[in-house]
Amino acid sequence: MNVAARPRPASPCIGACAIDPANGLCTGCARTGDEIALWGSADAAIRARIWAELPARAAALGLPLRRLAWREGDLLDRMERLFRDAAGVFVVGIHGAVAEVMRAPDEDFQAVRDGLVLTLRTRRAAIRIEAPAHLTAFELFRAGAAPLLALAVPAGRLGPEGPSALTALGPDTGALLPRDAGGARFDLGLGRRAARVSIRCAQALAARLAPHCGAPWPGHLDLIAADILAESPVRVVETPCIRAEVDALIPPPGGRTPDGPHTHLLPELVRVGFDAPPSLALPKGYVLSALFYPA
């Protein structure tokens, strides 16, 4: 009988390894040199004890972030709990182009698990999280505020660069929300590896957008903005392991962002080229998939 290998338990290491001679703790993960040396052979109880001690050590050292032990099914359990408790906002995308997914405390929602895939859905928004072993959770500390939660992947797990022009993607067979499910999808052409930003729409809007396919980002926005504002189609933002959809009104320029789930598309910020907000620093070699801002 073949037995599937169990995934290797997560290590606290963030790849910034240096022992502080004053206290004997690593300035990256807050473990001692002995704990680092024995980690590979340590049993589950020893690892659990070390993980439990790390938050206090990280706080005492003033570390900007720490890796969390959550992996695969455990990670999905925790994401589902955050959404169920309406504990904050999931932000999916890159600097300047994001979808914000949340639910009000009294808002109905659906949670569906299929192996290591979790889909969380309300009437207005949805997020699907796939949790392979390389999806990693980090806690990012902020002065005077609750820590942020970041989900990230190694840079080597990124796909190819997306198109740099408005591009028809064909029918959207992976829709999470019912509106225009299976309808035409158009990539807005940000030309990035870390995120794809697209819209899904019915045939009438698709017919108006199609003649502009091939127009480069961001110039094509002048050609299609009026039609998109008139229809407020479903926006789809995809990052490694995560897909978010928002079905909410797009405010006019200068208008008020609606309460609840919404999207932001700010070409001047996209142009800067950051995958994550510049004030947040992930460990070297990791690329952001999503942030969770606690309420």
Side-chain angles (χ1 to χ4, degrees), residues 70-77 79-80 90 92 112-120 126-137 150-154 157 173-176 185 236-245 287-290:
W70 311 344
R71 297 186 79 188
E72 301 180 335
D74 178 45
L75 187 151
L76 295 182
D77 290 342
M79 298 304 102
E80 182 175 346
F90 288 95
V92 181
V112 177
R113 287 281 286 270
D114 182 7
L116 292 178
V117 181
L118 169 66
T119 302
L120 302 165
I127 184 169
R128 184 186 67 209
I129 305 171
E130 301 177 24
H134 61 264
L135 183 63
T136 304
L151 300 181
V153 300
R157 296 287 184 169
T173 59
L176 304 179
R185 191 152 72 109
V236 181
V237 179
E238 296 166 295
T239 59
C241 301
I242 296 178
R243 174 177 174 133
E245 296 188 10
V287 176
L288 184 68
S289 285

Side-chain angles (χ1 to χ4, degrees), residues 162-170 185-192 195-199 213 215 220 224 238:
S164 298
L166 184 67
T167 302
L169 300 176
R185 191 152 72 109
F186 291 85
D187 190 314
L188 294 185
L190 275 61
R192 304 288 283 274
R196 177 193 293 273
V197 178
S198 61
I199 59 172
C213 284
H220 65 65
I224 66 175
E238 296 166 295

Side-chain angles (χ1 to χ4, degrees), residues 9-18 26-31 36 39 50-51 54 65-69 136-138 283-284 286:
S11 165
C13 181
I14 64 168
C17 307
C26 176
T27 57
C29 69
R31 289 178 294 173
I36 293 170
W39 186 265
I50 295 171
W51 275 113
L54 292 182
L65 60 86
R66 70 182 185 97
R67 187 172 181 171
L68 299 173
T136 304
F138 296 95
K284 184 178 180 180
Y286 280 90

Side-chain angles (χ1 to χ4, degrees), residues 43-285:
D43 61 26
I46 292 174
R47 289 196 179 104
R49 175 187 60 77
I50 295 171
W51 275 113
E53 294 177 3
L54 292 182
R57 296 184 195 174
L61 291 171
L63 300 185
L65 60 86
R66 70 182 185 97
R67 187 172 181 171
L68 299 173
W70 311 344
R71 297 186 79 188
E72 301 180 335
D74 178 45
L75 187 151
L76 295 182
D77 290 342
R78 294 171 184 274
M79 298 304 102
E80 182 175 346
R81 190 175 307 132
L82 290 171
F83 197 75
R84 182 187 67 223
D85 294 344
V89 181
F90 288 95
V91 179
V92 181
I94 57 173
H95 185 52
V98 299
E100 298 194 13
V101 176
M102 76 283 293
R103 61 176 288 270
D106 59 350
E107 187 174 15
D108 290 339
F109 78 100
Q110 181 185 41
V112 177
R113 287 281 286 270
D114 182 7
L116 292 178
V117 181
L118 169 66
T119 302
L120 302 165
R121 183 185 296 113
T122 70
R123 177 181 57 83
R124 303 178 293 169
I127 184 169
R128 184 186 67 209
I129 305 171
E130 301 177 24
H134 61 264
L135 183 63
T136 304
F138 296 95
E139 192 173 42
L140 308 180
F141 301 107
R142 301 178 294 169
L148 300 181
L149 173 66
L151 300 181
V153 300
R157 296 287 184 169
L158 292 180
E161 185 176 283
S164 298
L166 184 67
T167 302
L169 300 176
D172 187 0
T173 59
L176 304 179
L177 295 175
R179 183 180 171 206
D180 298 324
R185 191 152 72 109
F186 291 85
D187 190 314
L188 294 185
L190 275 61
R192 304 288 283 274
R193 296 180 65 199
R196 177 193 293 273
V197 178
S198 61
I199 59 172
R200 180 174 72 242
C201 59
Q203 185 56 42
L205 178 56
R208 298 198 294 275
L209 297 181
H212 303 298
C213 284
W217 164 268
H220 65 65
L221 294 179
D222 293 334
L223 306 174
I224 66 175
D227 285 323
I228 290 178
L229 284 172
E231 299 290 340
S232 286
V234 174
R235 282 84 75 200
V236 181
V237 179
E238 296 166 295
T239 59
C241 301
I242 296 178
R243 174 177 174 133
E245 296 188 10
V246 172
D247 184 359
L249 183 70
I250 300 175
R256 179 179 178 273
T257 299
D259 294 331
H262 57 273
T263 54
H264 292 288
L265 183 61
L266 304 170
E268 64 275 16
L269 295 185
V270 174
R271 189 180 300 117
V272 175
F274 290 111
D275 292 330
S279 60
L280 301 178
L282 287 172
K284 184 178 180 180

